[in-house]
mmCIF file of all heavy atoms in Angstrom:
data_model
loop_
_atom_site.group_PDB
_atom_site.id
_atom_site.type_symbol
_atom_site.label_atom_id
_atom_site.label_comp_id
_atom_site.label_asym_id
_atom_site.label_seq_id
_atom_site.Cartn_x
_atom_site.Cartn_y
_atom_site.Cartn_z
ATOM 1 N N ARG A 12 9.684 5.611 15.473
ATOM 2 C CA ARG A 12 8.241 6.038 16.095
ATOM 3 C C ARG A 12 8.506 6.789 17.412
ATOM 4 O O ARG A 12 7.681 7.617 17.766
ATOM 5 C CB ARG A 12 7.558 4.771 16.289
ATOM 6 C CG ARG A 12 7.078 4.035 15.086
ATOM 7 C CD ARG A 12 5.872 4.975 14.321
ATOM 8 N NE ARG A 12 4.821 5.476 15.192
ATOM 9 C CZ ARG A 12 3.748 4.910 15.540
ATOM 10 N NH1 ARG A 12 3.540 3.711 15.103
ATOM 11 N NH2 ARG A 12 2.871 5.598 16.221
ATOM 12 N N TYR A 36 5.155 17.915 4.245
ATOM 13 C CA TYR A 36 4.997 18.849 5.322
ATOM 14 C C TYR A 36 5.568 18.216 6.589
ATOM 15 O O TYR A 36 5.614 17.084 6.779
ATOM 16 C CB TYR A 36 3.522 19.103 5.608
ATOM 17 C CG TYR A 36 2.730 19.472 4.417
ATOM 18 C CD1 TYR A 36 2.116 18.463 3.527
ATOM 19 C CD2 TYR A 36 2.230 20.772 4.169
ATOM 20 C CE1 TYR A 36 1.407 18.832 2.417
ATOM 21 C CE2 TYR A 36 1.364 21.066 3.134
ATOM 22 C CZ TYR A 36 0.975 20.137 2.340
ATOM 23 O OH TYR A 36 0.117 20.430 1.300
ATOM 24 N N GLN A 40 3.075 18.545 17.062
ATOM 25 C CA GLN A 40 1.793 18.421 17.751
ATOM 26 C C GLN A 40 1.945 18.112 19.130
ATOM 27 O O GLN A 40 2.682 17.072 19.522
ATOM 28 C CB GLN A 40 0.884 17.310 17.019
ATOM 29 C CG GLN A 40 -0.543 17.216 17.721
ATOM 30 C CD GLN A 40 -1.346 16.088 17.117
ATOM 31 O OE1 GLN A 40 -0.795 14.975 16.792
ATOM 32 N NE2 GLN A 40 -2.581 16.342 16.969
ATOM 33 N N SER A 43 -2.520 16.177 21.605
ATOM 34 C CA SER A 43 -3.633 16.104 20.889
ATOM 35 C C SER A 43 -4.190 17.567 20.506
ATOM 36 O O SER A 43 -5.378 17.730 20.147
ATOM 37 C CB SER A 43 -4.736 15.382 21.437
ATOM 38 O OG SER A 43 -4.298 13.911 21.361
ATOM 39 N N ALA A 45 -4.151 20.938 17.827
ATOM 40 C CA ALA A 45 -4.059 20.945 16.455
ATOM 41 C C ALA A 45 -2.567 20.855 15.981
ATOM 42 O O ALA A 45 -1.805 21.515 16.648
ATOM 43 C CB ALA A 45 -4.682 22.319 15.868
ATOM 44 N N LEU A 48 2.051 23.636 11.763
ATOM 45 C CA LEU A 48 2.812 23.578 10.622
ATOM 46 C C LEU A 48 4.260 24.235 10.795
ATOM 47 O O LEU A 48 4.247 25.435 11.231
ATOM 48 C CB LEU A 48 2.251 24.188 9.353
ATOM 49 C CG LEU A 48 2.863 24.088 8.045
ATOM 50 C CD1 LEU A 48 3.235 22.629 7.619
ATOM 51 C CD2 LEU A 48 2.211 24.855 6.863
ATOM 52 N N GLU A 60 7.391 28.426 7.833
ATOM 53 C CA GLU A 60 6.505 29.339 8.538
ATOM 54 C C GLU A 60 7.153 30.408 9.396
ATOM 55 O O GLU A 60 8.255 30.197 9.826
ATOM 56 C CB GLU A 60 5.599 28.457 9.444
ATOM 57 C CG GLU A 60 4.732 27.414 8.780
ATOM 58 C CD GLU A 60 3.816 28.239 7.819
ATOM 59 O OE1 GLU A 60 2.853 28.905 8.375
ATOM 60 O OE2 GLU A 60 3.790 27.912 6.628
ATOM 61 N N SER A 99 -0.088 18.456 -5.483
ATOM 62 C CA SER A 99 -0.348 19.849 -5.750
ATOM 63 C C SER A 99 -1.590 19.732 -6.911
ATOM 64 O O SER A 99 -1.802 18.696 -7.403
ATOM 65 C CB SER A 99 0.870 20.506 -6.325
ATOM 66 O OG SER A 99 1.191 19.900 -7.458
ATOM 67 N N GLN A 101 -4.312 22.726 -9.357
ATOM 68 C CA GLN A 101 -4.892 23.888 -9.542
ATOM 69 C C GLN A 101 -6.016 24.275 -8.448
ATOM 70 O O GLN A 101 -6.293 25.410 -8.251
ATOM 71 C CB GLN A 101 -5.483 24.123 -10.961
ATOM 72 C CG GLN A 101 -4.446 24.049 -12.053
ATOM 73 C CD GLN A 101 -3.408 25.100 -11.960
ATOM 74 O OE1 GLN A 101 -3.723 26.392 -11.642
ATOM 75 N NE2 GLN A 101 -2.196 24.779 -12.107
ATOM 76 N N ASN A 103 -7.898 23.302 -4.632
ATOM 77 C CA ASN A 103 -7.493 23.315 -3.275
ATOM 78 C C ASN A 103 -8.136 22.138 -2.623
ATOM 79 O O ASN A 103 -8.214 22.195 -1.285
ATOM 80 C CB ASN A 103 -7.681 24.527 -2.564
ATOM 81 C CG ASN A 103 -9.344 24.891 -2.642
ATOM 82 O OD1 ASN A 103 -10.123 24.222 -3.204
ATOM 83 N ND2 ASN A 103 -9.584 25.921 -1.876
ATOM 84 N N ASN A 104 -8.461 21.019 -3.252
ATOM 85 C CA ASN A 104 -9.294 20.028 -2.609
ATOM 86 C C ASN A 104 -8.429 18.788 -2.338
ATOM 87 O O ASN A 104 -9.007 17.723 -2.126
ATOM 88 C CB ASN A 104 -10.485 19.714 -3.312
ATOM 89 C CG ASN A 104 -10.166 18.998 -4.710
ATOM 90 O OD1 ASN A 104 -9.048 18.930 -5.085
ATOM 91 N ND2 ASN A 104 -11.137 18.748 -5.508
ATOM 92 N N PRO A 106 -6.424 16.256 -0.089
ATOM 93 C CA PRO A 106 -6.282 16.130 1.368
ATOM 94 C C PRO A 106 -4.755 15.806 1.654
ATOM 95 O O PRO A 106 -3.924 15.475 0.622
ATOM 96 C CB PRO A 106 -6.973 14.832 1.586
ATOM 97 C CG PRO A 106 -7.027 14.123 0.415
ATOM 98 C CD PRO A 106 -7.107 15.152 -0.781
ATOM 99 N N GLN A 107 -4.398 15.741 2.856
ATOM 100 C CA GLN A 107 -3.031 15.438 3.340
ATOM 101 C C GLN A 107 -3.072 14.052 3.756
ATOM 102 O O GLN A 107 -3.952 13.561 4.360
ATOM 103 C CB GLN A 107 -2.495 16.470 4.303
ATOM 104 C CG GLN A 107 -2.384 17.863 3.799
ATOM 105 C CD GLN A 107 -1.582 18.781 4.738
ATOM 106 O OE1 GLN A 107 -1.113 18.495 5.721
ATOM 107 N NE2 GLN A 107 -1.791 20.063 4.355
ATOM 108 N N PHE A 109 -1.005 11.438 6.250
ATOM 109 C CA PHE A 109 -0.024 11.631 7.361
ATOM 110 C C PHE A 109 0.721 10.301 7.689
ATOM 111 O O PHE A 109 0.027 9.259 7.482
ATOM 112 C CB PHE A 109 -0.836 12.072 8.546
ATOM 113 C CG PHE A 109 -1.168 13.620 8.542
ATOM 114 C CD1 PHE A 109 -2.324 13.858 7.953
ATOM 115 C CD2 PHE A 109 -0.377 14.467 9.324
ATOM 116 C CE1 PHE A 109 -2.658 15.258 7.906
ATOM 117 C CE2 PHE A 109 -0.894 15.770 9.241
ATOM 118 C CZ PHE A 109 -1.959 16.226 8.654
ATOM 119 N N GLY A 110 1.850 10.410 8.121
ATOM 120 C CA GLY A 110 2.574 9.223 8.814
ATOM 121 C C GLY A 110 1.990 9.187 10.137
ATOM 122 O O GLY A 110 1.130 9.899 10.701
ATOM 123 N N ASP A 111 2.577 8.163 10.887
ATOM 124 C CA ASP A 111 2.057 7.798 12.295
ATOM 125 C C ASP A 111 2.861 8.603 13.291
ATOM 126 O O ASP A 111 2.543 8.606 14.514
ATOM 127 C CB ASP A 111 2.191 6.444 12.573
ATOM 128 C CG ASP A 111 1.010 5.590 11.943
ATOM 129 O OD1 ASP A 111 -0.030 6.137 11.760
ATOM 130 O OD2 ASP A 111 1.098 4.400 11.865
ATOM 131 N N SER B 50 -12.169 24.280 0.413
ATOM 132 C CA SER B 50 -12.462 22.927 0.526
ATOM 133 C C SER B 50 -12.471 22.601 2.055
ATOM 134 O O SER B 50 -11.725 23.129 2.798
ATOM 135 C CB SER B 50 -11.514 21.949 -0.182
ATOM 136 O OG SER B 50 -11.703 22.092 -1.576
ATOM 137 N N TYR B 54 -10.680 15.274 9.671
ATOM 138 C CA TYR B 54 -9.606 14.225 9.904
ATOM 139 C C TYR B 54 -9.892 13.549 11.359
ATOM 140 O O TYR B 54 -10.357 14.308 12.185
ATOM 141 C CB TYR B 54 -8.197 14.937 9.903
ATOM 142 C CG TYR B 54 -7.652 15.348 8.569
ATOM 143 C CD1 TYR B 54 -8.081 16.608 8.105
ATOM 144 C CD2 TYR B 54 -6.861 14.471 7.871
ATOM 145 C CE1 TYR B 54 -7.645 17.059 6.846
ATOM 146 C CE2 TYR B 54 -6.461 14.881 6.638
ATOM 147 C CZ TYR B 54 -6.820 16.209 6.161
ATOM 148 O OH TYR B 54 -6.216 16.637 4.914
ATOM 149 N N GLN B 56 -7.828 11.209 14.449
ATOM 150 C CA GLN B 56 -6.690 10.875 14.952
ATOM 151 C C GLN B 56 -6.806 9.824 16.102
ATOM 152 O O GLN B 56 -7.343 10.070 17.168
ATOM 153 C CB GLN B 56 -5.775 12.064 15.423
ATOM 154 C CG GLN B 56 -4.471 11.617 15.939
ATOM 155 C CD GLN B 56 -3.513 12.758 16.269
ATOM 156 O OE1 GLN B 56 -4.011 13.743 16.749
ATOM 157 N NE2 GLN B 56 -2.181 12.639 16.066
ATOM 158 N N GLY B 59 -1.952 7.431 19.542
ATOM 159 C CA GLY B 59 -0.709 7.042 18.989
ATOM 160 C C GLY B 59 -0.494 6.904 17.470
ATOM 161 O O GLY B 59 0.543 6.431 17.083
ATOM 162 N N GLY B 61 -1.064 8.944 13.415
ATOM 163 C CA GLY B 61 -1.212 10.361 12.731
ATOM 164 C C GLY B 61 -2.655 10.517 12.396
ATOM 165 O O GLY B 61 -3.579 9.674 12.586
ATOM 166 N N LEU B 62 -2.835 11.639 11.770
ATOM 167 C CA LEU B 62 -4.195 11.955 11.302
ATOM 168 C C LEU B 62 -4.591 11.234 10.006
ATOM 169 O O LEU B 62 -3.698 10.884 9.176
ATOM 170 C CB LEU B 62 -4.363 13.541 10.984
ATOM 171 C CG LEU B 62 -4.464 14.429 12.188
ATOM 172 C CD1 LEU B 62 -3.255 14.492 13.040
ATOM 173 C CD2 LEU B 62 -5.036 15.936 11.707
ATOM 174 N N LYS B 67 -14.588 14.672 3.100
ATOM 175 C CA LYS B 67 -14.242 15.991 2.609
ATOM 176 C C LYS B 67 -15.347 16.394 1.761
ATOM 177 O O LYS B 67 -16.284 15.520 1.295
ATOM 178 C CB LYS B 67 -13.020 16.082 1.813
ATOM 179 C CG LYS B 67 -13.035 15.425 0.414
ATOM 180 C CD LYS B 67 -11.737 15.683 -0.394
ATOM 181 C CE LYS B 67 -11.852 15.114 -1.815
ATOM 182 N NZ LYS B 67 -10.654 15.336 -2.611
ATOM 183 N N THR B 69 -16.009 19.784 -1.311
ATOM 184 C CA THR B 69 -15.412 20.749 -1.991
ATOM 185 C C THR B 69 -16.123 22.057 -2.476
ATOM 186 O O THR B 69 -15.677 22.917 -2.846
ATOM 187 C CB THR B 69 -14.612 20.173 -3.211
ATOM 188 O OG1 THR B 69 -15.527 19.527 -4.155
ATOM 189 C CG2 THR B 69 -13.599 19.124 -2.740
ATOM 190 N N SER B 111 -8.939 24.068 3.493
ATOM 191 C CA SER B 111 -7.840 24.423 2.526
ATOM 192 C C SER B 111 -8.377 25.485 1.455
ATOM 193 O O SER B 111 -9.376 25.205 0.879
ATOM 194 C CB SER B 111 -7.395 23.081 1.830
ATOM 195 O OG SER B 111 -6.388 23.453 0.806
ATOM 196 N N ARG B 113 -7.138 28.453 -1.401
ATOM 197 C CA ARG B 113 -5.948 29.119 -2.169
ATOM 198 C C ARG B 113 -5.409 30.173 -1.368
ATOM 199 O O ARG B 113 -4.113 30.552 -1.532
ATOM 200 C CB ARG B 113 -6.398 29.507 -3.489
ATOM 201 C CG ARG B 113 -6.669 28.377 -4.500
ATOM 202 C CD ARG B 113 -6.622 28.891 -5.896
ATOM 203 N NE ARG B 113 -7.097 27.854 -6.678
ATOM 204 C CZ ARG B 113 -8.483 27.806 -7.232
ATOM 205 N NH1 ARG B 113 -9.359 28.568 -6.661
ATOM 206 N NH2 ARG B 113 -8.781 26.776 -8.022
ATOM 207 N N PHE B 118 -0.920 25.408 -0.552
ATOM 208 C CA PHE B 118 -1.202 24.018 -0.124
ATOM 209 C C PHE B 118 -1.293 23.849 1.270
ATOM 210 O O PHE B 118 -1.353 22.690 1.754
ATOM 211 C CB PHE B 118 -0.137 23.107 -0.731
ATOM 212 C CG PHE B 118 0.216 23.513 -2.214
ATOM 213 C CD1 PHE B 118 1.296 24.140 -2.585
ATOM 214 C CD2 PHE B 118 -0.760 22.982 -3.048
ATOM 215 C CE1 PHE B 118 1.454 24.473 -3.922
ATOM 216 C CE2 PHE B 118 -0.409 23.190 -4.416
ATOM 217 C CZ PHE B 118 0.686 24.039 -4.823
ATOM 218 N N LYS B 119 -1.462 24.918 2.041
ATOM 219 C CA LYS B 119 -1.645 24.635 3.381
ATOM 220 C C LYS B 119 -2.964 24.457 3.829
ATOM 221 O O LYS B 119 -3.970 24.888 3.354
ATOM 222 C CB LYS B 119 -0.981 25.913 4.271
ATOM 223 C CG LYS B 119 0.471 26.184 3.979
ATOM 224 C CD LYS B 119 1.066 27.186 4.863
ATOM 225 C CE LYS B 119 0.708 28.493 4.463
ATOM 226 N NZ LYS B 119 1.369 29.555 5.316
ATOM 227 N N THR B 120 -3.116 23.677 5.041
ATOM 228 C CA THR B 120 -4.479 23.456 5.487
ATOM 229 C C THR B 120 -4.598 24.149 7.068
ATOM 230 O O THR B 120 -3.536 24.016 7.796
ATOM 231 C CB THR B 120 -4.569 21.924 5.713
ATOM 232 O OG1 THR B 120 -4.498 21.366 4.450
ATOM 233 C CG2 THR B 120 -5.862 21.481 6.503
ATOM 234 N N GLY B 123 -8.730 23.026 12.899
ATOM 235 C CA GLY B 123 -9.346 23.355 14.205
ATOM 236 C C GLY B 123 -8.641 22.697 15.454
ATOM 237 O O GLY B 123 -7.647 22.077 15.143
ATOM 238 N N ARG B 127 -12.049 15.721 21.315
ATOM 239 C CA ARG B 127 -11.829 14.405 21.664
ATOM 240 C C ARG B 127 -13.224 13.738 21.984
ATOM 241 O O ARG B 127 -13.986 14.283 22.757
ATOM 242 C CB ARG B 127 -10.970 14.398 22.974
ATOM 243 C CG ARG B 127 -10.630 12.960 23.389
ATOM 244 C CD ARG B 127 -9.732 12.954 24.548
ATOM 245 N NE ARG B 127 -8.339 13.453 24.214
ATOM 246 C CZ ARG B 127 -7.468 12.642 23.796
ATOM 247 N NH1 ARG B 127 -7.695 11.448 23.541
ATOM 248 N NH2 ARG B 127 -6.197 13.283 23.663
#
Side-chain angles (χ1 to χ4, degrees):
Chain A
R12 290 295 311 275
Y36 310 79
Q40 187 183 32
S43 291
L48 183 64
E60 293 301 295
S99 63
Q101 294 301 315
N103 59 353
N104 65 5
Q107 295 189 11
F109 286 81
D111 282 338
Chain B
S50 292
Y54 288 85
Q56 186 175 31
L62 281 68
K67 72 175 187 181
T69 59
S111 176
R113 284 197 193 93
F118 310 102
K119 291 192 289 187
T120 297
R127 183 178 292 277

